Amino acid sequence: MGFIDVFLLPSAWIAFLTLAFLEIVLGIDNIVFLSIVTSKLSNEQQPKARRTGMLLAMFFRIGLLFGISFVMSLTKPIYSFNTSWLDGSISGQSIIVFLGGLFLLYKSVTEIHHKLEGIDETHNNSKAKNSFISAIVQVVALDIVFSFDSVLTAVGLVSFKEFGYEGAMGIMILAVIASVMIMLLFAEPVSNFVNSHPTIQILGLSFLILIGVMLITEASHLSHLKIFNTEVGSIPKGYLYFAIAFSLFVEFINLKLNKKKSTPVHLHDSEIINK
């Protein structure tokens, strides 16, 4: 089935829209992390860093789609162990996810420490250049971790048998491009909002800690890790996203209340005369 013929099918559009929506949901973590990492850069560099990081991540994700056989090979066990109290099998995917979780924990805790200690980072030319490159590398590195879930989800949703190789690849690639373009539109307002509200920054870093813990447990689950014959389960992402959404809702109410309290009350002329 040709590329054009595929998009004449309603099922292809359903698969495309569903996958694009899931890519956006999975990319929320990236937007939060991107906002926090680029907040240390100058105002002129922040938009460039966001665009560069997300576009590089998009090309990497598309590359993984073309190397789907390589991605699938990473899910196979490369080392197994079995002791009296601990057993499991380690795969390439579980190693990458585990390292990603550790990286998020380290980065989030470090950023919270810097904010609590009031550490100010200056932006001279050499440091600004290093910070810019560092921000791009961190965004792409984190996207590598989340790309595996994204690619495996895409392959599970889009049938190569129904749409053919060209059609299925076309749907998945266009869904990735569309989701990244939408996230780029929202990246700047989200970053501006996060950077202008310190409490939202701390909340976002706390979310990243939760996501880091989730990735570590996910890596244990992918390794079928058993401790005293009890297998480590994964944390359902729905619970995590609900907790994040609820916390944001409460924080928005607090911001609204604080804004009302800080708004000066203007007395009418008659009230001033009576006083």
Side-chain angles (χ1 to χ4, degrees):
M1 187 177 292
F3 177 77
I4 302 298
D5 296 331
V6 166
F7 282 91
L8 297 176
L9 300 174
S11 58
W13 284 101
I14 293 172
F16 167 75
L17 293 173
T18 303
L19 184 56
F21 174 75
L22 288 176
E23 289 283 344
I24 293 169
V25 172
L26 292 172
I28 291 173
D29 311 327
N30 277 8
I31 293 179
V32 174
F33 183 76
L34 187 68
S35 303
I36 293 169
V37 169
T38 57
S39 64
K40 293 183 177 181
L41 303 176
S42 63
N43 293 332
E44 294 78 15
Q45 286 185 319
Q46 288 183 22
K48 184 180 177 181
R50 287 192 291 264
R51 289 193 299 269
T52 305
M54 295 194 74
L55 289 175
L56 285 175
M58 179 187 74
F59 287 122
F60 178 81
R61 197 165 292 189
I62 292 173
L64 279 183
L65 285 173
F66 282 106
I68 189 61
S69 58
F70 169 72
V71 175
M72 297 302 292
S73 69
L74 290 175
T75 62
K76 297 177 182 178
I78 56 177
Y79 178 74
S80 299
F81 52 92
N82 189 357
T83 64
S84 59
W85 63 278
L86 183 70
D87 63 278
S89 53
I90 299 173
S91 64
Q93 183 188 11
S94 64
I95 293 173
I96 292 172
V97 172
F98 179 76
L99 292 177
L102 285 181
F103 170 72
L104 268 185
L105 285 178
Y106 166 77
K107 186 65 181 176
S108 304
V109 172
T110 302
E111 290 294 326
I112 290 175
H113 172 72
H114 286 174
K115 292 184 182 302
L116 291 177
E117 294 295 324
I119 297 175
D120 185 24
E121 298 186 2
T122 57
H123 301 292
N124 57 43
N125 291 334
S126 60
K127 287 188 177 180
K129 185 177 179 181
N130 291 334
S131 298
F132 181 84
I133 296 173
S134 174
I136 299 300
V137 170
Q138 289 179 61
V139 170
V140 174
L142 184 65
D143 194 77
I144 290 173
V145 177
F146 289 110
S147 289
F148 288 95
D149 270 347
S150 173
V151 170
L152 293 174
T153 300
V155 173
L157 278 176
V158 183
S159 172
F160 282 87
K161 184 177 180 181
E162 180 182 357
F163 303 116
Y165 178 79
E166 288 185 7
M169 289 297 294
I171 291 171
M172 290 187 289
I173 290 171
L174 288 177
V176 169
I177 294 173
S179 63
V180 170
M181 292 300 108
I182 292 172
M183 285 190 289
L184 276 173
L185 289 176
F186 286 98
E188 185 171 354
V190 168
S191 295
N192 292 337
F193 180 77
V194 170
N195 294 338
S196 60
H197 295 85
T199 56
I200 295 293
Q201 288 186 17
I202 298 298
L203 195 61
L205 289 168
S206 302
F207 294 160
L208 293 179
I209 291 176
L210 281 178
I211 295 167
V213 172
M214 181 200 72
L215 288 175
I216 290 174
T217 57
E218 180 71 18
S220 303
H221 179 68
L222 291 171
S223 299
H224 304 289
L225 190 67
K226 290 184 180 180
I227 302 174
F228 295 110
N229 293 323
T230 302
E231 186 169 349
V232 177
S234 61
I235 301 174
K237 291 184 176 67
Y239 293 166
L240 185 65
Y241 288 136
F242 174 78
I244 291 173
F246 182 75
S247 300
L248 279 174
F249 175 71
V250 173
E251 185 60 28
F252 286 148
I253 293 176
N254 286 332
L255 290 174
K256 188 96 175 163
L257 289 174
N258 290 333
K259 188 176 180 181
K260 282 186 176 181
K261 288 179 181 179
S262 61
T263 303
V265 179
H266 297 286
L267 298 176
H268 294 290
D269 292 340
S270 58
E271 292 178 80
I272 296 173
I273 293 171
N274 291 333
K275 286 189 177 183

